[in-house]
Amino acid sequence: MADQLYLENIDEFVTDQNKIVTYKWLSYTLGVHVNQAKQMLYDYVERKRKENSGAQLHVTYLVSGSLIQNGHSCHKVAVVREDKLEAVKSKLAVTASIHVYSIQKAMLKDSGPLFNTDYDILKSNLQNCSKFSAIQCAAAVPRAAVESSSSEKFEQSNLQVSSETPANNELTTNGHSPPTSKQIFQQPKGIMGMFASKAASKTQDANKETKTETKEVTNVSSAGNKASGKGNVMSNFFGKAAMNKLKVNLDSEQAVKEEKIVEQPPVSVTEPKLAAPTGLKKSSKKAEPVKMQQKEKKRGKRVELSDDETKETENMKKKRRRIKLPESDSSEDEVILDSPGDYEAESPSPPPPPPSPPPEPVQKTEPEPPPVKSSSGEKRKRKRVLKSKTFVDEEGCIVTEKVYESESCTDSEEELKMKTSSVHRPSTMTVKKEPKEERKGPKKGTAALGKANRQVSITGFFQRK
Amino acid sequence: MFSEQAAQRAHTLLSPPSASNATFARVPVSSYTNSSQPFRLGERSFSRQYAHIYATRLLQMRPFLVSRARQRWGDGVQVKKLCELQPGEQCCVVGTLFKAMPLQPSILREISEEHNLLPQPPRSKYIHPDDELVLEDELQRIRLEGNVDASRLVTGTVLAVLGSARDSGKFVVEDHCFAELAPQKPAPTLDIDRFVLLVSGLGLGGGGGESLLGTQLLVDVVTGQLGDEGEQCSAAHVSRVILAGNLLSHNTQSRDSINKAKYLTKKTQAASVEAVRMLDEILLQLSASVPVDVMPGEFDPTNYTLPQQPLHRCMFPLATAYATLQLVTNPYQATIEGVRFLGTSGQNVSDIFRYSSMEDHLEILEWTLRVRHISPTAPDTLGCYPFYKTDPFIFPECPHVYFCGNTPEFGSKIFRGPEDQRVLLVAVPDFSATQTACLVNLRSLACQPISFSGFGAEDEDLGGLGLGP
């Protein structure tokens, strides 16, 4: 009975649905070998014609063979209507194959619809287009889908990277495994391992909060890396200084988890950042001049991302995956500002006070930021404060520079400062700045407010850059 | 050949379904090396002058020409440089040819206002009876006259001329010779038939529906869907497919959008985008079944200057999943099963066609082989990268199969060289116009055209099939 099934199917397709049934279409639809589909079509035609000679059935055939033309023996492959079949056959010197190409109810004027039918069924079966073919090629093994993306130059988003990791692991025999993905994933680990040991010794702040915060950030930033062990490693070297750098970097470059080898960030030891090592490098070099811009950028970002504050850690993590660190940045800030309670629970990374010393040699090394946050919930944060530093540089000149320094202060202080600033600052600039400050992280806010508190006068705004 | 072999098996398809259907395994690739490295460009700098390429061309070709000259005109012939010429003395000079053509489009003349010339419409041939030949060597140049046919020669050819200088300052030529064929390694002997399919000019995006069916039939034959068992078995012996350029149609170049105002063309997609998508699907079907080499052509999205670099794989997201897909340069050189292939997408031949009186593309192909240079007209009239160290278009050795794509019609010939070299010359026709591809049999070094057709309303006399009365 199974034999008869296909006859009924074809009958249905041709007569009821008025379809053009090509052998290829039938092969994909019924899931049979192409040759079998051709034979089925032939069988159907024969039977139908036998039982009902007046059947409305138009058949096209494929004829192929050789023909002497212009002195060459040319191999011809042609789709012909039934009425021309014999004529074509007679012209060919050698007939290589004849089979039914398609069956349809209506007479076809030209072969366009045949192509369309084949094209449509092919489109829906692109991935296994040679499944029912008579030739199987051993060499045609599809590479993992990942490989095309992995061979791109380290321009990938974290998401992509995360999708690659599992795919990499599943790679099988094909010699053309994604070239560097695997290695690259190993390398960061290796380098991070390096950093871990280094960082362990060099991490200045042993404060757990920082660690937990950084861990969060690390987890976020290393979201792509499914290596869970990494979280610990990364947290070790994600010091406050590094956090600042991270933010700075992330603002300047959205390069998330690069597969680039983590290059040694030039100066700061605590800077190893897996996510954007080159970003770090760059940013460290131009940290100072860029800082201001980045702060501006960060402000903008914080404004946009103010909605994130209430998200759960996981959500934050997810968000962080997409936009990596800048987000974690702002969300942390939000949390700190608005919900002290959440702060502990979520333990977002504290807005890393601009790591003080961008590795400018001229600057004095900043004193180690005091343990900013105790896990007790007291909102102590390191704020970046704009301060003037006067010193004698190598040429013997007295240089005064305005630098951002980490200064620790508590949240309450901050709030106070903000309030007082609103009172004291008469200039419009400060008024405008207020909402920004409120929404921004404590970093800038505190810095500005700190200044505002210290020097309350009309010229106060000159100090803010 | 392909058809005879295919016809040997019994016809099984005009019968009720059989219990089992044969599946054939594609012949495995026993040996393949891509030797197109000289055509790959790394860092490209266009700040160099093009004179260097001529200098290095002459330098590299001089020894070949001197030896040929001695072979032809005897060892006693004096080979001199132009600066050493004495009037009246018969000698042989080796140099690069320059053909001064009044009809050659010159951008300087076009934009020059004092001549008030309108831009010249493109012609099919730019030759003129008044063309003059000038021979240049490293230091000097001299006008050529005499037994040399200017219409058959093009600028950039390096040749040796035998003759004497006249007092008028011209060189009267008695005979000339080219570098002829380079040495050739012997072709391997294969035990089974293996085929390489050469196709060019698929012309996707051209809007012609007829050629799409032909393309689909081509793909179906190669992937073993079409045909009876015999044909499928033969198709399984196709070990490689080479797409020789012009995968996209001329229409996808969308030159008209350059002239339109921006606001009109803002949202329109380039025609090549859809065409490349179609190409990707075709390549996917092919590469799922057979190793494919894709060469870019004149209308394909890659650089214009020769050597054209491979198409970028990001354009073919579906097809690049298969390792069997290879994107290669134009010109392309490879050794397949021990048989050396060298070919271009046809720009070199069509350029020589425009600037010489030779009509048959196959004849021009043969001529480039004899001149031992793939495209002598580069960089004069054909865009070329300013090489300075070596000229990669000089034949280092003679190939076994030398092809060029996008010719108006199929042509194939065995050419024999002076040192018993045997080269199969193949002019691969433009598929979008002729629906014809070429099957090269590696064992016998013969080539058979294979053509496809559907049927149309106007086909009463089987004219479309080429099977007319």
Side-chain angles (χ1 to χ4, degrees):
Chain A
M1 283 316 284
D3 296 338
Q4 307 308 312
L5 213 54
Y6 72 83
L7 287 172
E8 285 165 14
N9 283 338
I10 301 176
D11 197 37
E12 190 190 320
F13 293 138
V14 175
T15 16
D16 304 336
Q17 296 178 12
N18 221 352
K19 278 201 166 55
I20 300 176
V21 181
T22 59
Y23 75 92
K24 206 194 261 185
W25 190 91
L26 193 68
S27 155
Y28 281 120
T29 314
L30 296 183
V32 295
H33 192 275
V34 282
N35 287 353
Q36 201 166 28
K38 294 168 198 165
Q39 286 166 335
M40 284 179 183
L41 285 178
Y42 177 77
D43 198 28
Y44 172 77
V45 170
E46 288 295 300
R47 286 184 198 228
K48 195 78 191 235
R49 292 236 166 106
K50 248 191 270 185
E51 25 174 271
N52 178 7
S53 53
Q56 256 278 40
L57 218 54
H58 287 98
V59 190
T60 57
Y61 288 86
L62 181 101
V63 188
S64 75
S66 77
L67 176 75
I68 307 290
Q69 198 176 43
N70 296 341
H72 306 282
S73 165
C74 178
H75 186 79
K76 291 259 184 219
V77 177
V79 179
V80 293
R81 280 195 291 254
E82 200 172 4
D83 38 357
K84 299 274 191 312
L85 178 61
E86 289 307 316
V88 172
K89 254 169 73 176
S90 59
K91 300 264 183 187
L92 294 176
V94 178
T95 311
S97 45
I98 308 180
H99 64 78
V100 177
Y101 192 86
S102 78
I103 304 181
Q104 56 277 337
K105 217 165 157 188
M107 162 87 108
L108 286 179
K109 285 259 168 50
D110 65 76
S111 34
L114 291 177
F115 170 73
N116 290 337
T117 318
D118 279 344
Y119 185 69
D120 291 334
I121 194 72
L122 191 66
K123 280 280 268 209
S124 42
N125 287 22
L126 268 181
Q127 284 317 313
N128 48 348
C129 44
S130 55
K131 197 162 153 200
F132 303 114
S133 158
I135 299 179
Q136 301 297 327
C137 180
V141 179
R143 302 178 232 206
V146 168
E147 198 180 309
S148 47
S149 51
S150 69
S151 61
E152 288 167 25
K153 298 283 168 161
F154 315 123
E155 228 65 57
Q156 300 174 20
S157 70
N158 211 8
L159 207 50
Q160 235 179 329
V161 166
S162 50
S163 62
E164 278 177 42
T165 337
N168 281 342
N169 301 334
E170 290 151 17
L171 261 190
T172 50
T173 58
N174 198 328
H176 301 268
S177 49
T180 48
S181 312
K182 272 199 180 143
Q183 304 161 12
I184 289 164
F185 276 119
Q186 309 307 327
Q187 264 166 342
K189 267 190 199 147
I191 291 170
M192 291 204 358
M194 232 166 54
F195 280 135
S197 52
K198 261 194 183 173
S201 52
K202 296 203 177 163
T203 309
Q204 295 130 3
D205 31 57
N207 56 69
K208 295 147 206 159
E209 282 202 19
T210 320
K211 275 194 188 166
T212 43
E213 288 153 14
T214 54
K215 212 187 214 171
E216 279 301 322
V217 175
T218 317
N219 287 342
V220 166
S221 57
S222 61
N225 276 344
K226 303 281 168 78
S228 51
K230 265 192 188 169
N232 294 328
V233 173
M234 287 187 78
S235 67
N236 288 343
F237 56 76
F238 266 115
K240 277 172 257 170
M243 288 315 299
N244 271 342
K245 281 279 170 177
L246 284 175
K247 284 196 185 174
V248 161
N249 295 336
L250 291 164
D251 278 349
S252 54
E253 313 172 7
Q254 285 279 334
V256 188
K257 188 154 299 184
E258 305 307 337
E259 292 177 348
K260 273 182 187 154
I261 300 164
V262 178
E263 299 165 317
Q264 277 285 353
V267 178
S268 166
V269 185
T270 54
E271 270 186 68
K273 181 170 117 164
L274 181 64
T278 33
L280 261 182
K281 222 189 194 172
K282 284 187 203 163
S283 68
S284 60
K285 280 175 188 156
K286 53 174 174 151
E288 259 214 340
V290 170
K291 265 181 201 167
M292 285 308 299
Q293 297 165 282
Q294 286 159 350
K295 285 207 184 277
E296 301 301 326
K297 280 193 219 170
K298 276 181 221 166
R299 278 180 210 165
K301 277 209 164 61
R302 284 171 199 153
V303 170
E304 294 158 21
L305 296 168
S306 55
D307 306 324
D308 294 345
E309 59 187 76
T310 50
K311 291 208 172 114
E312 297 291 38
T313 313
E314 300 77 39
N315 290 350
M316 280 173 63
K317 274 193 192 174
K318 279 187 195 161
K319 278 257 170 187
R320 284 172 187 166
R321 274 199 202 121
R322 279 185 226 115
I323 313 180
K324 292 234 166 132
L325 289 177
E327 204 161 358
S328 64
D329 219 5
S330 38
S331 39
E332 297 150 22
D333 295 339
E334 261 79 56
V335 170
I336 290 159
L337 273 179
D338 301 330
S339 43
D342 293 353
Y343 168 72
E344 284 172 46
E346 304 191 50
S347 65
S349 7
S356 38
E360 257 71 290
V362 285
Q363 294 189 24
K364 297 180 191 157
T365 38
E366 191 187 1
E368 297 304 73
V372 170
K373 289 154 192 144
S374 52
S375 42
S376 60
E378 184 189 38
K379 290 228 183 127
R380 286 193 66 83
K381 284 213 165 250
R382 287 190 58 78
K383 309 287 182 274
R384 288 190 65 190
V385 180
L386 189 63
K387 279 192 176 151
S388 298
K389 283 191 174 249
T390 311
F391 54 90
V392 182
D393 75 0
E394 22 208 57
E395 289 163 350
C397 309
I398 297 180
V399 179
T400 305
E401 280 190 2
K402 290 205 180 0
V403 297
Y404 277 99
E405 274 198 350
S406 307
E407 200 184 62
S408 104
C409 60
T410 56
D411 258 340
S412 48
E413 227 178 83
E414 196 190 326
E415 307 277 6
L416 202 61
K417 281 179 187 169
M418 288 173 83
K419 285 184 192 144
T420 47
S421 75
S422 67
V423 170
H424 291 286
R425 284 275 193 98
S427 66
T428 46
M429 268 192 74
T430 40
V431 169
K432 271 189 223 157
K433 285 210 174 96
E434 241 194 319
K436 266 200 235 173
E437 285 159 10
E438 276 169 351
R439 264 179 286 169
K440 276 182 322 190
K443 270 205 296 205
K444 287 246 177 122
T446 335
L449 295 167
K451 281 215 138 4
N453 277 350
R454 271 198 297 275
Q455 193 165 22
V456 179
S457 78
I458 194 87
T459 58
F461 68 89
F462 277 130
Q463 288 178 356
R464 285 199 54 77
K465 278 287 172 276
Chain B
M1 279 312 293
F2 191 78
S3 334
E4 284 74 18
Q5 192 184 3
Q8 275 161 21
R9 284 202 184 214
H11 291 202
T12 60
L13 293 181
L14 289 177
S15 58
S18 50
S20 67
N21 294 102
T23 310
F24 306 96
R26 173 81 56 194
V27 287
V29 174
S30 68
S31 83
Y32 167 78
T33 36
N34 185 347
S35 6
S36 306
Q37 201 43 45
F39 303 121
R40 292 292 323 237
L41 300 172
E43 279 285 311
R44 280 170 250 187
S45 151
F46 284 89
S47 58
R48 240 175 272 129
Q49 296 236 353
Y50 281 98
H52 302 289
I53 192 177
Y54 285 117
T56 172
R57 190 183 292 180
L58 185 57
L59 191 66
Q60 283 179 265
M61 301 266 294
R62 186 177 275 277
F64 308 140
L65 281 162
V66 169
S67 72
R68 286 284 177 216
R70 292 200 197 284
Q71 277 176 15
R72 196 175 160 120
W73 300 313
D75 276 330
V77 68
Q78 298 173 354
V79 178
K80 285 201 172 168
K81 301 229 166 129
L82 282 177
C83 49
E84 298 159 0
L85 277 187
Q86 303 292 331
E89 190 189 351
Q90 194 198 51
C91 59
C92 159
V93 186
V94 173
T96 316
L97 212 58
F98 173 75
K99 191 155 96 165
M101 290 180 277
L103 289 179
Q104 182 178 354
S106 161
I107 187 67
L108 296 174
R109 253 183 266 151
E110 273 180 34
I111 62 175
S112 156
E113 276 156 17
E114 54 186 53
H115 288 260
N116 271 339
L117 279 183
L118 297 164
Q120 221 189 68
R123 301 161 65 105
S124 63
K125 278 200 183 291
Y126 292 98
I127 53 174
H128 194 271
D130 287 345
D131 294 338
E132 286 174 356
L133 285 177
V134 175
L135 189 74
E136 296 184 4
D137 72 0
E138 292 92 347
L139 300 170
Q140 291 184 355
R141 62 193 334 239
I142 193 165
R143 280 270 301 276
L144 291 182
E145 277 178 348
N147 185 17
V148 61
D149 186 6
S151 63
R152 288 186 62 88
L153 297 169
V154 289
T155 305
T157 321
V158 184
L159 76 169
V161 289
L162 181 75
S164 50
R166 285 282 173 272
D167 289 333
S168 56
K170 302 194 188 157
F171 193 92
V172 175
V173 178
E174 290 157 31
D175 196 9
H176 68 278
C177 81
F178 303 117
E180 299 295 332
L181 272 66
Q184 186 190 56
K185 292 205 189 80
T189 41
L190 299 167
D191 44 353
I192 52 166
D193 268 341
R194 279 167 189 262
F195 298 99
V196 170
L197 183 72
L198 296 170
V199 196
S200 80
L202 287 180
L204 297 172
E210 179 56 40
S211 73
L212 283 178
L213 179 68
T215 313
Q216 193 56 50
L217 289 177
L218 172 75
V219 171
D220 286 343
V221 167
V222 174
T223 55
Q225 317 235 4
L226 216 56
D228 211 328
E229 287 196 353
E231 190 158 358
Q232 287 164 344
C233 179
S234 298
H237 285 96
V238 173
S239 70
R240 202 156 203 99
V241 174
I242 299 179
L243 296 176
N246 279 1
L247 307 154
L248 301 190
S249 152
H250 174 59
N251 302 340
T252 59
Q253 301 252 290
S254 297
R255 287 287 154 82
D256 51 330
S257 63
I258 296 175
N259 300 329
K260 282 201 193 147
K262 270 277 196 265
Y263 73 93
L264 287 171
T265 55
K266 196 159 185 170
K267 291 278 172 71
T268 52
Q269 201 185 53
S272 49
V273 173
E274 185 57 41
V276 169
R277 206 173 297 146
M278 270 199 283
L279 178 63
D280 191 23
E281 285 160 12
I282 291 178
L283 287 179
L284 172 68
Q285 294 175 58
L286 278 177
S287 47
S289 175
V290 65
V292 187
D293 295 332
V294 183
M295 291 167 62
E298 193 181 341
F299 306 127
D300 293 327
T302 183
N303 58 314
Y304 162 72
T305 52
L306 284 189
Q308 282 184 302
Q309 299 302 290
L311 298 166
H312 200 280
R313 53 187 301 206
C314 69
M315 287 197 280
F316 310 114
L318 299 169
T320 41
Y322 288 92
T324 42
L325 179 73
Q326 239 199 335
L327 299 163
V328 295
T329 55
N330 167 31
Y332 172 54
Q333 194 170 271
T335 312
I336 303 172
E337 319 284 347
V339 178
R340 283 193 64 91
F341 274 73
L342 171 63
T344 65
S345 300
Q347 290 114 315
N348 54 335
V349 171
S350 55
D351 200 56
I352 296 173
F353 175 84
R354 277 197 287 271
Y355 293 97
S356 79
S357 61
M358 293 189 270
E359 293 286 338
D360 185 15
H361 284 242
L362 198 64
E363 187 190 342
I364 296 174
L365 196 63
E366 182 188 327
W367 187 82
T368 60
L369 193 61
R370 290 185 60 206
V371 174
R372 214 191 273 205
H373 199 278
I374 297 176
S375 66
T377 51
D380 185 42
T381 43
L382 188 60
C384 171
Y385 176 75
F387 293 102
Y388 68 105
K389 285 203 189 123
T390 52
D391 185 349
F393 299 117
I394 299 176
F395 286 87
E397 60 167 327
C398 188
H400 298 115
V401 179
Y402 182 39
F403 65 90
C404 88
N406 299 302
T407 56
E409 57 177 23
F410 171 79
S412 146
K413 182 176 159 176
I414 301 269
F415 182 71
R416 294 209 176 267
E419 280 100 28
D420 242 359
Q421 296 104 330
R422 196 168 154 253
V423 187
L424 172 68
L425 299 170
V426 183
V428 187
D430 186 13
F431 194 85
S432 57
T434 60
Q435 309 281 292
T436 309
C438 308
L439 270 175
V440 175
N441 187 334
L442 296 179
R443 185 164 66 117
S444 60
L445 274 193
C447 181
Q448 186 184 31
I450 176 169
S451 66
F452 305 89
S453 62
F455 54 88
E458 67 281 356
D459 278 344
E460 306 112 9
D461 281 334
L462 307 172
L465 285 169
L467 298 169

